[in-house]
């Protein structure tokens, strides 16, 4: 699936949840299920500092596809990272650099991607795209 | 247990004074527990600003015209109100600023120019807000002086023996907070001030978290300087106070240059206006300062001693209730505490707890509260902080407790 197809399927998944609590329970679940980030990548260099929660992001390119690993110290942030990884993992650098992230707004979680939240997610999305641009230039 | 014993305290009537308390957040009644960050405004303060802008507004201290005269009188009336409120000796000792941060930066520049030399020491505590750390680091750097820190103990208090050990003949200034914004600790101010004076040092008291909770008199305390923010005592943002003893304010140079702070300007030489105007360059937040006067009068009418008693009840009740939640740990357990409850819920990150409480309409603060050294001391990334004001209720604390339990179920 391409980036937009994945976003659409996430939006569909979330349409089942009526109240905020169910939504957050699902996100927290995603956070718990997020594959462990390789400890060696949890470096100062890969750290995106938000005032509220911290986010680590690492990317590699393999056979034309970008692989992401990420983590956060806050579980809700981590759950949203889980969604972002679903969307961006194994996409081409070009698709990543041209992508538009609209699903958070559609599922009513836009607030987590607000620059004033200082949870590191805005910078994370920016950083994901930067990786896309950089890998795209290299190839 | 937990019943309100203060006689004549009618919190419902007080809540009526604060329009914002009727707001719904995520379709739930707002429960505002972020009072240490900033307090809400009573209607009378809002009305004062509105009335001033709609019927009395012009610039002050400059015009002979009618409106300028009214504005100047109202502005100076706030100075008088504050002088009495903190027990200063004269209006000349009350400088209007933009807030605590601005007051401290003024001193860090002006006081340091007059009094700080290479090799001198400035003493602060380990629980200072960044705004009472960074300006002094900068001043020390400029003057070749050293910053020393009084450590905090496990319960979030200070050991007076440590103060004795760290104060010496090299200490020029003891700059410290009356109440910790992150832990609620009330410091032994009088003892600390006396120790500093015995060593020949000056004292700046950061009263940002005390002025709205604890009755105080600067002459009894004998602090040389005192700073606080209007927005934390039910007044407008962008207003603050620097109190200083007249002879010290006379001895230090102005901070900013500009209009209003001068007596005579020639290109060769400018002579400065007298106190307090020497420190008030440019057009200030006139409406804000006038409304700050109203806020202080409002607090005085209710009575700070009554406010203190009621808020202490809320603190005791909140402490009891929160302590009953499994895996909740309170940070800051000093014997003398103001109405701040800083806590962590098991291994849950404060951000997650804050997000969930927000959806329940409960506003708390999460993070390091601009006191990173405290968080480093306890080796934690931050805390959740509920801070109470006199318009809060025990029912709201009950809602907080059930909100935390709900968060625990989701997060732990
Ligand atoms: C103890 C303390 N000092 C200073 C400040 C800074 O106040 P302001 O941001 O109003 O300048 C605060 C505000 O949180 C505080 O709690």
């Amino acid at each position: 699936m391409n980036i937009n197809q994945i976003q659409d399927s996430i939006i569909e998944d979330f349409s089942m949840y009526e109240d905020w609590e169910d939504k957050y329970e699902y996100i927290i679940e995603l956070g718990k299920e997020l594959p462990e980030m390789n400890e060696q990548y949890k470096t100062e260099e890969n750290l995106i500092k938000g005032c509220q929660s911290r986010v680590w992001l690492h990317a590699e390119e393999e056979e034309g596809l970008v692989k992401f690993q990420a983590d956060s110290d806050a579980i809700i942030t981590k759950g949203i990272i889980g969604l972002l990884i679903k969307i961006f993992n194994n996409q081409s650098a070009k698709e990543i650099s041209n992508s538009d992230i609209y699903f958070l707004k559609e599922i009513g979680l836009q607030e987590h991607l607000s620059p004033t939240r200082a949870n590191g997610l805005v910078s994370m999305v920016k950083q994901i795209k930067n990786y896309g641009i950089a890998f795209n230039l290299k190839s | 247990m937990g019943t309100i014993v203060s006689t004549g305290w009618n919190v419902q009537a007080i809540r009526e004074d604060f329009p914002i308390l009727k707001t719904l957040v995520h379709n739930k009644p707002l429960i505002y527990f972020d009072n240490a960050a900033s307090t809400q405004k009573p209607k009378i303060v809002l009305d004062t600003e509105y009335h001033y802008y709609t019927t009395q507004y012009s610039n002050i201290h400059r015009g002979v015209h009618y409106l300028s005269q009214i504005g100047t009188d109202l502005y100076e009336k706030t100075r008088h109100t504050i002088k009495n409120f903190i027990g200063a000796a004269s209006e000349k000792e009350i400088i209007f600023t933009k807030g605590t941060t601005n007051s401290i930066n003024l001193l860090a520049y002006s006081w340091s120019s007059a009094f700080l030399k290479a090799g001198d020491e400035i003493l602060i505590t380990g629980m200072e807000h960044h705004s009472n750390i960074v300006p002094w680091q900068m001043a020390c750097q400029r003057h070749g002086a050293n910053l020393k820190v009084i450590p905090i103990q496990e319960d979030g208090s200070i050991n007076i023996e440590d103060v004795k050990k760290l104060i010496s003949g090299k200490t020029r200034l003891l700059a410290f907070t009356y109440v910790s914004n992150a832990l609620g600790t009330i410091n032994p101010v009088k003892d600390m001030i006396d120790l500093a004076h015995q060593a020949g040092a000056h004292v700046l008291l950061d009263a940002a978290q005390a002025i709205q909770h604890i009755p105080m008199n600067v002459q009894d305390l004998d602090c040389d300087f005192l700073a606080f923010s209007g927005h934390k005592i039910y007044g407008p943002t962008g207003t603050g106070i620097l109190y200083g003893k007249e002879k010290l304010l006379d001895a230090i140079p102005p901070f900013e240059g500009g209009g209003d702070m001068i007596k005579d300007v020639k290109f060769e030489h400018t002579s400065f206006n007298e106190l307090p105007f020497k420190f008030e360059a440019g057009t200030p937040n006139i409406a804000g300062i006038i409304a700050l006067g109203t806020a202080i009068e409002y607090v005085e009418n209710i009575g700070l001693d009554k406010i203190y008693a009621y808020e202490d009840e809320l603190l005791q009740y909140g402490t009891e209730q929160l302590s009953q939640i499994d895996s909740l740990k309170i940070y800051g357990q000093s014997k003398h505490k103001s109405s701040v409850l800083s806590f962590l819920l098991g291994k849950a990150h404060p951000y997650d707890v804050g997000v969930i409480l927000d959806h329940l309409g409960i506003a708390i603060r999460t993070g390091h509260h601009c006191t990173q050294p405290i968080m480093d001391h306890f080796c934690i990334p931050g805390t959740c902080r509920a801070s109470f004001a006199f318009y809060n209720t025990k029912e709201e604390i009950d809602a907080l407790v059930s909100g935390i339990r709900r968060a625990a179920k989701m997060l732990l």
Side-chain angles (χ1 to χ4, degrees):
Chain A
M1 283 201 281
N2 68 27
I3 286 179
N4 285 359
Q5 285 166 335
I6 301 173
Q7 292 200 73
D8 292 341
S9 89
I10 290 174
I11 293 166
E12 204 181 311
D13 287 349
F14 270 83
S15 65
M16 309 178 347
Y17 301 122
E18 280 180 7
D19 64 7
W20 69 272
E21 217 166 332
D22 295 340
K23 250 191 257 180
Y24 275 97
E25 266 166 3
Y26 178 57
I27 288 177
I28 290 164
E29 214 38 57
L30 287 174
K32 288 179 182 160
E33 286 167 6
L34 185 72
E36 285 280 320
M37 186 175 190
N38 222 325
E39 274 305 315
Q40 77 190 83
Y41 298 136
K42 272 183 136 179
T43 58
E44 198 59 30
E45 215 170 74
N46 284 338
L47 178 64
I48 298 166
K49 258 201 176 148
C51 185
Q52 294 278 352
S53 60
R54 298 184 298 170
V55 168
W56 290 266
L57 177 70
H58 173 75
E60 278 170 19
E61 198 185 23
E62 252 174 57
E63 294 165 12
L65 300 178
V66 187
K67 318 269 177 189
F68 290 101
Q69 289 190 34
D71 199 357
S72 171
D73 49 1
I75 195 76
I76 292 173
T77 307
K78 204 166 159 178
I80 293 171
I81 287 176
L83 293 171
L84 291 168
I85 298 251
K86 262 191 196 180
I87 292 167
F88 289 111
N89 212 23
N90 289 319
Q91 303 290 346
S92 72
K94 187 157 180 220
E95 264 219 55
I96 291 168
S97 59
N98 291 333
S99 63
D100 169 37
I101 289 300
Y102 56 82
F103 80 101
L104 276 171
K105 190 162 175 209
E106 294 292 322
I107 64 178
L109 292 172
Q110 182 68 0
E111 70 212 50
H112 291 280
L113 212 61
S114 133
T116 52
R117 264 289 160 128
N119 56 10
L121 281 175
V122 176
S123 314
M124 177 182 170
V125 171
K126 216 183 268 166
Q127 191 57 31
I128 285 176
K129 286 200 182 175
N130 284 344
Y131 274 122
I133 294 167
F135 288 132
N136 202 19
L137 283 177
K138 251 199 329 203
S139 59
Chain B
M1 204 168 60
T3 46
I4 303 223
V5 291
S6 329
T7 45
W9 187 264
N10 184 347
V11 70
Q12 288 314 323
I14 282 167
R15 290 178 70 82
E16 288 296 315
D17 294 340
F18 291 82
I20 206 169
L21 297 179
K22 295 200 168 73
T23 305
L24 296 182
V25 171
H26 301 299
N27 282 323
K28 303 195 177 63
L30 165 69
I31 296 181
Y32 187 74
F33 282 154
D34 197 14
N35 294 287
S38 200
T39 54
Q40 300 299 346
K41 318 304 169 201
K43 185 163 182 302
I44 193 169
V45 168
L46 308 173
D47 288 346
T48 301
E49 277 216 41
Y50 183 79
H51 183 67
Y52 175 65
Y53 273 127
T54 45
T55 66
Q56 301 166 318
Y57 180 73
S58 77
N59 211 330
I60 53 166
H61 290 147
R62 318 189 164 183
V64 292
H65 60 78
Y66 178 77
L67 288 179
S68 180
Q69 200 53 54
I70 291 185
T72 305
D73 289 349
L74 290 168
Y75 187 82
E76 291 305 319
K77 184 168 156 251
T78 294
R79 208 185 301 274
H80 180 73
T81 303
I82 286 170
K83 177 213 129 198
N84 289 340
F85 182 60
I86 63 171
S90 131
E91 278 85 0
K92 291 182 187 168
E93 300 181 324
I94 307 296
I95 315 289
F96 290 131
T97 65
K98 291 184 283 196
T100 309
T101 304
N102 186 219
S103 299
I104 296 175
N105 277 280
L106 185 163
L107 271 190
Y109 176 83
S110 298
W111 175 88
S112 303
S113 319
F115 289 107
L116 196 62
K117 309 265 171 328
D120 287 348
E121 290 177 3
I122 290 177
L123 191 55
I124 62 174
T125 78
M127 68 177 88
E128 298 311 311
H129 189 277
H130 293 165
S131 65
N132 199 29
I133 302 173
V134 184
W136 299 117
Q137 284 174 329
M138 291 160 65
C140 283
Q141 220 162 32
R142 281 195 301 269
H143 297 275
N146 299 309
L147 193 66
K148 292 272 153 112
V149 184
I150 303 163
I152 47 178
Q153 307 182 93
E154 206 42 43
D155 66 354
S157 70
I158 271 175
N159 184 342
I160 199 78
E161 295 306 316
D162 288 330
V163 184
K164 287 180 191 159
K165 265 183 241 157
L166 282 158
I167 287 189
S168 74
K170 285 190 193 163
T171 313
R172 286 289 153 273
L173 180 74
L174 171 63
F176 74 107
T177 194
Y178 198 140
V179 171
S180 157
N181 65 310
L183 303 169
T185 314
I186 300 177
N187 281 317
V189 278
K190 187 64 187 139
D191 292 347
M192 291 172 73
I193 292 168
D194 289 347
L195 281 171
H197 283 163
Q198 282 159 25
H202 293 148
V203 177
L204 158 65
L205 194 55
D206 175 352
Q209 295 293 345
I211 195 75
Q212 66 281 51
H213 301 299
I214 305 173
M216 68 183 77
N217 179 298
V218 287
Q219 292 188 73
D220 291 346
L221 287 171
D222 200 27
C223 55
D224 300 288
F225 303 101
L226 177 126
F228 65 89
S229 300
H231 70 93
K232 291 185 200 273
I233 182 161
Y234 315 103
T237 54
T239 64
I241 299 296
L242 174 65
Y243 157 83
K245 286 182 181 164
E246 185 176 343
K247 68 174 192 323
L248 287 175
L249 290 177
D250 265 333
I252 67 180
F255 178 38
E256 294 175 320
D260 256 5
M261 55 78 71
I262 47 87
K263 194 188 284 167
D264 205 20
V265 177
K266 304 262 182 292
F267 283 119
E268 302 73 40
H269 177 75
T270 290
S271 56
F272 302 125
N273 205 336
E274 26 189 85
L275 288 174
F277 309 109
K278 165 177 141 185
F279 291 104
E280 294 179 2
T283 301
N285 182 357
I286 306 167
I289 294 288
I290 291 171
L292 174 60
T294 308
I296 304 275
E297 283 165 10
Y298 174 80
V299 166
E300 281 180 317
N301 281 338
I302 293 172
L304 252 189
D305 41 355
K306 281 196 201 151
I307 289 176
Y308 182 84
Y310 177 68
E311 289 174 341
D312 193 52
E313 275 181 36
L314 290 179
L315 174 71
Q316 301 311 330
Y317 182 71
T319 308
E320 269 166 33
Q321 296 303 308
L322 261 67
S323 301
Q324 285 169 23
I325 300 173
D326 286 342
S327 73
L328 183 142
K329 178 169 177 197
I330 293 176
Y331 287 83
Q333 310 241 32
S334 165
K335 260 208 323 263
H336 303 287
K337 251 190 88 168
S338 137
S339 53
V340 168
L341 279 174
S342 233
F343 62 90
L344 282 178
L345 184 61
K347 288 205 159 45
H349 195 282
Y351 176 79
D352 295 322
V353 178
V355 167
I356 290 170
L357 291 178
D358 174 57
H359 276 276
L360 297 167
I362 304 172
I364 61 158
R365 175 88 180 262
T366 63
H368 55 58
H369 319 299
C370 299
T371 55
Q372 275 180 8
I374 298 184
M375 302 305 143
D376 292 346
H377 172 81
F378 290 111
C379 300
I380 52 178
T383 67
C384 307
R385 181 187 70 186
S387 49
F388 310 132
F390 64 91
Y391 42 64
N392 289 128
T393 66
K394 291 192 178 176
E395 289 71 31
E396 290 180 316
I397 292 177
D398 293 339
L400 171 69
V401 169
S402 79
I404 295 172
R405 288 190 195 280
R406 212 152 146 188
K409 235 198 277 163
M410 292 171 76
L411 294 168
L412 300 181

